[in-house]
Amino acid sequence: MQVTQSAVADVLIIDPKVFGDARGYFFETYNEKRYRDAGIKGDFVQDNLSLSKRGILRGLHFQNPNAQGKLVSVLKGAVFDVAVDIRVGSPTFGKWVGFELSEENRRQAFIPPGFAHGFAVISDEALFSYKCTDLYNPQTEGVILWNDPDIGVDWGSLQGPQLSDKDKKGVRLRDFPKERLPVYQP
């Protein structure tokens, strides 16, 4: 397994070791010791799957308190995945990083607690997998506007994505009260 630090502090890209032959392939999607040794800390307590069609955008979501770290991957299709550092006091506050996750590249990403997260489906359909370090808690959830001009996520050719009602009501990061945002802890 190869782990790479992304351009935004603490977001990790994981390329698992894949064993393949004429029958197909095999790889470990999670190994607690190996991932802890790579700097991915936290106990995973909830697994989620979402199925979405091309043009669907989910995000940018976060929880505080009850911040969730997420180990994410795509089982079918492809997405453009985005993490935004929203930790007050972080040297990369308001910065984003994005990468393609797909069934072909089998790549994973670890989005630590304190980040807003979202993805856009860039294939006909995508089956997206999340391992989370805390349980979903709708009372502590926040939604950052997917196209917040201060953050400036480049979603590529995505124009007018399909959004949930919740995501349509996203708020600009600068309009969130600081006490609602997570605090950076080096």
Side-chain angles (χ1 to χ4, degrees), residues 50 52 55-63 68 70 72 79-84 86 111 115-121 128 130 136 141-148 151 153 155 158 161-173 176:
S50 70
S52 305
I56 300 286
L57 189 146
R58 296 182 184 266
L60 299 161
H61 304 150
F62 72 95
Q63 289 184 179
Q68 293 178 310
K70 297 175 183 175
V72 298
V79 304
F80 182 68
D81 197 74
V82 171
V84 180
I86 60 167
I111 299 26
F115 282 71
H117 173 254
F119 65 89
V121 178
F128 192 86
Y130 320 56
Y136 174 63
E141 184 176 38
V143 180
I144 305 290
L145 188 63
W146 70 277
N147 60 352
D148 182 331
I151 297 171
V153 174
W155 293 99
L158 185 68
Q162 293 180 22
L163 303 169
S164 69
D165 288 340
K166 173 176 71 175
D167 292 347
K168 288 177 186 175
K169 297 174 185 167
V171 176
R172 290 176 74 164
L173 179 58
F176 264 95

Side-chain angles (χ1 to χ4, degrees), residues 83-97:
V84 180
D85 188 349
I86 60 167
R87 301 170 298 174
V88 174
S90 169
T92 55
F93 179 82
K95 303 291 184 207
W96 67 276
V97 63

Side-chain angles (χ1 to χ4, degrees), residues 23-165:
R23 301 169 298 160
Y25 64 85
F26 169 86
F27 69 95
E28 288 182 340
T29 59
Y30 181 71
N31 175 310
E32 182 180 23
K33 180 181 181 334
R34 186 171 294 136
Y35 281 62
R36 282 192 190 277
D37 290 349
I40 297 171
K41 296 177 176 56
D43 295 323
F44 291 101
V45 298
Q46 180 176 321
D47 288 357
N48 304 319
L49 288 175
S50 70
L51 180 67
S52 305
K53 305 275 186 210
R54 182 184 300 276
I56 300 286
L57 189 146
R58 296 182 184 266
L60 299 161
H61 304 150
F62 72 95
Q63 289 184 179
N64 188 52
N66 308 107
Q68 293 178 310
K70 297 175 183 175
L71 180 63
V72 298
S73 62
V74 171
L75 305 176
K76 177 183 177 187
V79 304
F80 182 68
D81 197 74
V82 171
V84 180
D85 188 349
I86 60 167
R87 301 170 298 174
V88 174
S90 169
T92 55
F93 179 82
K95 303 291 184 207
W96 67 276
V97 63
F99 28 79
E100 184 175 320
L101 302 176
S102 72
E103 66 183 301
E104 282 83 28
N105 69 22
R106 299 178 192 96
R107 181 168 281 159
Q108 298 174 308
F110 179 68
I111 299 26
F115 282 71
H117 173 254
F119 65 89
V121 178
I122 57 176
S123 57
D124 288 339
E125 187 174 78
L127 183 58
F128 192 86
S129 172
Y130 320 56
K131 288 185 88 54
C132 301
T133 61
D134 206 334
L135 300 174
Y136 174 63
N137 185 338
Q139 288 76 33
T140 66
E141 184 176 38
V143 180
I144 305 290
L145 188 63
W146 70 277
N147 60 352
D148 182 331
D150 297 328
I151 297 171
V153 174
D154 180 358
W155 293 99
S157 62
L158 185 68
Q159 304 259 331
Q162 293 180 22
L163 303 169
S164 69
D165 288 340

